[in-house]
Amino acid sequence: MTKVVEISPTTRHEGHSKLTLKVNDQGIVERGDWLSITPVRGIEKLAIGKTMEQVPKIASRVCGICPIPHTLASIEAMEASIGCEIPTDVKLLRVILHAANRLHSHALHNILILPDFYIPGTETKINPFSKEQPLRSVAVRIFRIREIAQTIIAVAGGEAIHPSNPRVGGMYRNVSPRAKQKMADLAKEGLVLAHEQMEFMLEVIRNMQNRGFTDVAGKEIPIPRNLGYHNQGVMATAPMYGSSSLDEKPMWDFARWKDTRPWDWYMGEVTIDLEDPSYPIGGTTKVGTKANPRMEACNTVPTYDGQPVEVGPRARLATFKNFTEKGTFAQHIARQLEYPNCFYTILKCLDNLDTSGKVLADHIPQGDGSMGWAANEAPRGTDVHIARVKDGRVLWYEMLVPTTWNLPTCSRALTGAPWQIAEMVVRAYDPCVACATHMIVTDEENRIVAKKLLQW
Amino acid sequence: MVSDPYLGKYTTCISARSTDREILKKAQDGGIATTLMVYALEEGIIDGVIVAGEGDLPWKPRPFVAMSRKDILKAQKAKYNISPQISWIKEATRSFGLDKVGVTGVCCQIQAVRKAQLYPINMRDVPGKIAFVVGLFCMENFLYDSIQAIVEDHTNQSLSSVKKMRIGKGKFQVYTERGNVATAPLQATHKYGQPGCYVCLDYVSNLGDISTGSVGSPDGWSTVFVRTRVGNDIWSKAVDAGLFETKPIEEVKPGLELVMKLAKIKLDGNRKTLEERRNFGVNKALRDPYA
Ligand SMILES: Cc1cc2nc3c(=O)[nH]c(=O)nc-3n(C[C@H](O)[C@H](O)[C@H](O)COP(=O)(O)OP(=O)(O)OC[C@H]3O[C@@H](n4cnc5c(N)ncnc54)[C@H](O)[C@@H]3O)c2cc1C
Ligand code: SF4
């Protein structure tokens, strides 16, 4: 008989979300909904009428882990709308920023997922804050990678969290020769650490794949071979940076995208009738509680060719590098494989960077209301911003962020998982739920579906 | 360690001047600020410093991040109008890529540095990257328009031919390139003072690692307070390296007594202004940042 269990809130990812799960007698998910319950902030609606300079700075504040993608995608959507070509050294600085942000983000995610994993060959789960070796050195390495990445972002982008340097038409400042050298020195140090960290993580993930079961709250939970499999396909616009409607050959197709309501994809009202007070830490939702994912989801559901898709590192490798594995562990593996290339990219861009080159377009048109979009391959996947700019002001603005694409996809990928490890499936998407909850959800009559939440 | 209610905390006070002829030629006083920063740069104590360089109008300062001796020398001489030094403090650690930042400026600017170090509000990385701070004595400052009025109207000189300005002996003194000296009584300049300066309770840059000014020492010499461990370390090494001629402050005229007298005038006067702000309105006060 089908029962409903709910994990709320979920933990060890960015933002606020929950899992409402229909499970069979064995506790295996028959149908799961993973939804954002982060209060809606309505960035896209409040952007309307504001200047094209201001909106990217607001969009950056959607998320403090990936502010770089939002800043860059937003600025480049404005540039695409007004038809502004940026100088070469701008592009180089932006790619440096971008690659460094991916590094710090992946490293941070290591900290979040490691407690699900075991020290290879042992029955000891990894506590990344343990003072014992080898974990202490792993943590120190992760912190150093993040410190290096954040420093590079701060130098090239003006600020590690919410970069100040990028602007419509270019950057405010080029860097000094000293700053360029500093970034190169840091990247060389980081490259060695990134290789080590990647090898370590791959070993830990492979060990998990071979275990067959894991311990949750003292119970042995089997790990299915096909954990996290889904048939939604993938979407990616570039292995590293992204694409925009200004490109000769744009890598994303506006016409294939359609925004839909959670109504069409999520379950209706259910009543929780399975509860496990031992679920770490604090138990699951109380029996008798009503849940309604259709109404409660604070995310929309963007579709590509009419279906939710997976975005992120695995999507990038599958699209551009013939990576064929799928599921939870393949997602983890793909993410680790992105480490070294970020540092190689930074070093290559630094080689080409002319520190006396100009960093602002000579002419910045003010826009005639044309639609422009820019896709940035954020750490968590394709982040598309779409804008219409007229006379320097934003007429229309839309953000299709990675975790929004992934929410319904991941929900489908929950099927077949023991509910106790549903969160492991979720974490393989490296969710960023604040990112996914920046918009106001409206239904076909343009009624605000999330209004109930806004009234809290 | 001396702890003086008017002159702040310091380990030593000396009268000094640079032994670097090139620096002395264009220095405001003893060339202390410039010599110290050049030395700190060459020794790797700092890798860049915020100084008040030339702006786009004559005698209008423009703060910038100097990363070479040549650039530090471009900031010689006191410009008696506002130079927003601290506007570069964060950027110095960003696109300039500095790890050890030097700062020069008047008392209030040094206060800003210390506050950013202890309470960094959107000042990430700044606290740990401030390496050396040289503060100037400062009685009051002016807006550019005011300095224009003082020089062009009261001393009747054209700003673009001025070589140096000084405040001393109760006069605002202007020296021109072609050898003229013109003065205006300080009394006449008071109405031009920047209003914000009248609540300032710091005369000799109490929070600098080292502070320096002209008062107390003879022309061409500076009065120097060595205050912090950082300041002490740099000062003694620089003196050992022969960068300064020094005299105990007790042996020079007018010496500390005059510094003390002027500090009292400034601080006591401005305390009164602050007091008045408390009773500015009827049953209402103006804000007191020290409250
Ligand atoms: C507004 C102002 C008021 C002053 N009032 C007094 C006073 O009342 N009594 C007194 O004894 N001395 C005062 N001084 C200090 C004095 O005039 C000299 O600046 C000081 O002695 C340094 O001389 P120096 O030869 O060591 O400097 P130099 O080696 O010539 O170097 C000049 C230094 O001053 C800095 N500087 C120049 N203009 C400004 C500015 N507007 N704001 C911030 N920094 C600046 C430069 O960055 C540089 O580091 C004042 C200075 C200023 C700028
Ligand atoms: S008097 Fe005080 S507030 Fe005014 S410029 Fe000098 S140090 Fe700053």
Side-chain angles (χ1 to χ4, degrees):
Chain A
M1 211 192 72
T2 301
K3 292 205 162 192
V4 183
V5 59
E6 185 177 82
I7 301 168
S8 179
T10 45
T11 61
R12 281 190 277 118
H13 61 74
E14 197 284 344
H16 199 49
S17 73
K18 69 173 184 176
L19 283 161
T20 308
L21 307 166
K22 285 186 177 160
V23 300
N24 68 15
D25 292 339
Q26 282 73 50
I28 304 296
V29 176
E30 290 175 340
R31 171 181 175 146
D33 274 352
W34 171 45
L35 52 142
S36 163
I37 47 172
T38 303
V40 170
R41 288 171 289 169
I43 303 289
E44 288 148 309
K45 295 291 180 256
L46 66 78
I48 294 169
K50 296 208 159 44
T51 63
M52 63 174 169
E53 282 82 14
Q54 192 184 9
V55 168
K57 306 285 171 189
I58 297 172
S60 177
R61 271 75 183 168
V62 160
C63 177
I65 299 177
C66 42
I68 314 297
H70 293 314
T71 300
L72 295 178
S74 184
I75 285 179
E76 288 169 15
M78 307 300 163
E79 288 166 352
S81 170
I82 62 178
C84 177
E85 300 276 352
I86 53 167
T88 320
D89 292 307
V90 171
K91 184 77 193 191
L92 291 170
L93 285 168
R94 287 186 186 175
V95 177
I96 291 169
L97 265 186
H98 173 88
N101 177 70
R102 185 178 291 178
L103 280 164
H104 108 79
S105 177
H106 285 2
L108 181 64
H109 186 245
N110 286 172
I111 296 276
L112 297 176
I113 58 163
L114 278 172
D116 289 333
F117 289 83
Y118 289 82
I119 300 175
T122 74
E123 287 304 313
T124 311
K125 279 204 180 174
I126 296 176
N127 168 8
F129 299 109
S130 157
K131 296 215 164 34
E132 311 279 310
Q133 291 296 10
L135 300 178
R136 188 62 202 149
S137 327
V138 172
V140 166
R141 185 167 63 210
I142 292 174
F143 298 153
R144 183 60 186 153
I145 292 172
R146 291 201 65 233
E147 187 178 30
I148 286 172
Q150 296 284 57
T151 306
I152 292 174
I153 303 172
V155 170
E159 194 65 57
I161 303 173
H162 308 313
S164 52
N165 202 6
R167 55 176 291 179
V168 174
M171 301 293 247
Y172 283 97
R173 309 185 55 79
N174 204 328
V175 298
S176 72
R178 182 187 188 88
K180 171 172 160 169
Q181 189 59 54
K182 178 173 171 174
M183 288 189 279
D185 292 347
L186 286 169
K188 283 176 187 163
E189 182 193 339
L191 183 57
V192 178
L193 299 178
H195 272 291
E196 288 171 9
Q197 183 61 14
M198 175 181 73
E199 295 299 341
F200 169 79
M201 290 303 296
L202 291 176
E203 195 195 335
V204 164
I205 297 161
R206 286 198 196 101
N207 174 69
M208 192 73 175
Q209 264 178 313
N210 297 331
R211 282 182 62 90
F213 71 91
T214 181
D215 176 284
V216 179
K219 291 190 222 38
E220 270 190 15
I221 309 297
I223 304 174
R225 280 258 147 247
N226 58 355
L227 182 70
Y229 278 33
H230 65 76
N231 290 315
Q232 297 300 131
V234 297
M235 181 184 87
T237 63
M240 178 52 72
Y241 190 76
S243 178
S244 97
S245 55
L246 286 182
D247 290 351
E248 238 167 75
K249 202 170 144 260
M251 297 298 287
W252 188 76
D253 188 351
F254 180 80
R256 290 166 67 186
W257 159 68
K258 191 169 178 303
D259 218 8
T260 63
R261 305 164 304 154
W263 194 269
D264 306 326
W265 301 94
Y266 282 94
M267 292 187 255
E269 188 175 87
V270 290
T271 305
I272 313 301
D273 53 4
L274 174 66
E275 182 186 343
D276 180 355
S278 74
Y279 188 75
I281 295 171
T284 62
T285 301
K286 292 233 167 316
V287 164
T289 310
K290 289 203 186 321
N292 190 342
R294 274 182 184 169
M295 287 304 289
E296 290 167 344
C298 298
N299 50 290
T300 59
V301 177
T303 58
Y304 210 51
D305 299 330
Q307 282 291 319
V309 288
E310 179 186 330
V311 297
R314 190 188 76 92
R316 290 192 276 263
L317 292 199
T319 308
F320 297 100
K321 304 268 157 91
N322 302 318
F323 186 78
T324 52
E325 285 180 67
K326 56 184 203 168
T328 298
F329 297 111
Q331 289 172 315
H332 282 310
I333 287 169
R335 188 168 295 106
Q336 315 314 317
L337 292 177
E338 289 197 324
Y339 263 124
N341 199 31
C342 295
F343 278 123
Y344 287 125
T345 301
I346 292 169
L347 286 166
K348 203 174 88 204
C349 289
L350 285 171
D351 260 351
N352 294 327
L353 180 71
D354 172 4
T355 55
S356 49
K358 74 168 184 186
V359 290
L360 191 62
D362 291 327
H363 177 55
I364 302 172
Q366 293 301 296
D368 58 8
S370 305
M371 190 273 291
W373 60 260
N376 183 283
E377 283 297 330
R380 292 157 187 76
T382 311
D383 181 16
V384 188
H385 291 216
I386 315 168
R388 293 181 189 278
V389 178
K390 189 165 187 285
D391 303 326
R393 301 218 167 237
V394 173
L395 288 187
W396 181 70
Y397 190 54
E398 190 82 43
M399 300 168 70
L400 312 173
V401 313
T403 299
T404 318
W405 293 101
N406 280 338
L407 277 157
T409 310
C410 172
S411 296
R412 271 145 196 72
L414 292 166
T415 305
W419 73 264
Q420 295 91 338
I421 57 170
E423 277 200 87
M424 280 179 57
V425 176
V426 164
R427 287 187 194 113
Y429 285 83
D430 189 4
C432 193
V433 184
C435 282
T437 318
H438 49 277
M439 74 293 280
I440 287 178
V441 184
T442 53
D443 63 14
E444 62 269 78
E445 279 101 42
N446 251 357
R447 216 161 35 90
I448 298 174
V449 171
K451 205 175 192 165
K452 218 173 65 190
L453 289 170
L454 291 170
Q455 284 166 345
W456 279 2
Chain B
M1 171 76 76
V2 184
S3 187
D4 185 287
Y6 289 96
L7 305 179
K9 293 186 177 165
Y10 60 96
T11 50
T12 44
C13 178
I14 36 265
S15 187
R17 75 170 173 195
S18 178
T19 53
D20 186 319
R21 303 265 297 274
E22 188 197 3
I23 290 176
L24 266 189
K25 235 185 335 192
K26 286 218 232 125
Q28 178 74 16
D29 296 307
I32 307 298
T34 302
T35 307
L36 279 172
M37 284 304 172
V38 167
Y39 174 72
L41 184 75
E42 285 169 353
E43 292 297 308
I45 296 161
I46 59 170
D47 43 28
V49 51
I50 302 171
V51 293
E54 277 173 34
D56 42 18
L57 294 167
W59 288 94
K60 187 182 173 108
R62 183 182 59 88
F64 74 102
V65 180
M67 296 169 74
S68 65
R69 172 184 164 105
K70 201 171 125 235
D71 279 349
I72 295 174
L73 264 60
K74 283 186 190 156
Q76 286 190 287
K77 292 216 175 103
K79 295 103 193 159
Y80 290 102
N81 60 106
I82 291 162
S83 177
Q85 305 287 91
I86 308 306
S87 58
W88 288 102
I89 198 168
K90 186 153 115 178
E91 195 59 38
T93 70
R94 302 297 199 270
S95 59
F96 292 91
L98 301 192
D99 294 306
K100 293 169 275 181
V101 181
V103 184
T104 63
V106 288
C107 326
C108 56
Q109 296 168 334
I110 309 309
Q111 290 170 11
V113 174
R114 300 312 188 196
K115 183 163 182 183
Q117 285 186 282
L118 289 172
Y119 301 96
I121 298 178
N122 209 342
M123 281 282 173
R124 202 179 198 201
D125 301 327
V126 169
K129 293 197 190 296
I130 300 296
F132 184 33
V133 177
V134 173
L136 310 177
F137 301 180
C138 178
M139 183 61 83
E140 64 177 335
N141 207 345
F142 302 92
L143 294 175
Y144 187 70
D145 286 352
S146 306
I147 216 68
Q148 216 170 6
I150 293 169
V151 172
E152 301 202 329
D153 300 344
H154 290 265
T155 75
N156 202 21
Q157 301 301 320
S158 148
L159 263 178
S160 42
S161 53
V162 173
K163 189 170 79 179
K164 182 169 180 168
M165 297 179 205
R166 281 196 58 167
I167 297 175
K169 307 194 177 83
K171 294 193 178 75
F172 194 100
Q173 309 160 349
V174 169
Y175 301 76
T176 70
E177 297 282 358
R178 294 166 63 243
N180 244 352
V181 185
T183 63
L186 265 190
Q187 207 59 34
T189 68
H190 280 332
K191 65 175 175 191
Y192 296 109
Q194 177 194 212
C197 293
Y198 301 142
V199 295
C200 176
L201 303 178
D202 186 347
Y203 177 55
V204 288
S205 275
N206 291 357
L207 299 182
D209 290 317
I210 293 177
S211 27
T212 184
S214 57
V215 167
S217 294
D219 286 0
W221 287 69
S222 295
T223 302
V224 179
F225 289 97
V226 180
R227 298 182 181 278
T228 64
R229 208 174 305 145
V230 169
N232 214 3
D233 196 44
I234 297 172
W235 181 257
S236 42
K237 280 191 193 142
V239 170
D240 285 349
L243 292 182
F244 296 108
E245 281 180 74
T246 61
K247 289 180 192 164
I249 192 73
E250 296 76 22
E251 290 172 19
V252 303
K253 286 268 170 288
L256 259 189
E257 211 171 303
L258 181 62
V259 184
M260 180 68 94
K261 185 178 143 204
L262 291 173
K264 267 201 161 90
I265 291 175
K266 173 171 180 178
L267 270 58
D268 293 347
N270 288 351
R271 277 209 185 92
K272 244 177 80 199
T273 311
L274 275 163
E275 189 56 47
E276 283 160 14
R277 286 174 65 91
R278 273 183 214 127
N279 302 303
F280 190 84
V282 180
N283 296 326
K284 284 192 281 222
L286 291 177
R287 207 174 69 85
D288 177 358
Y290 303 96

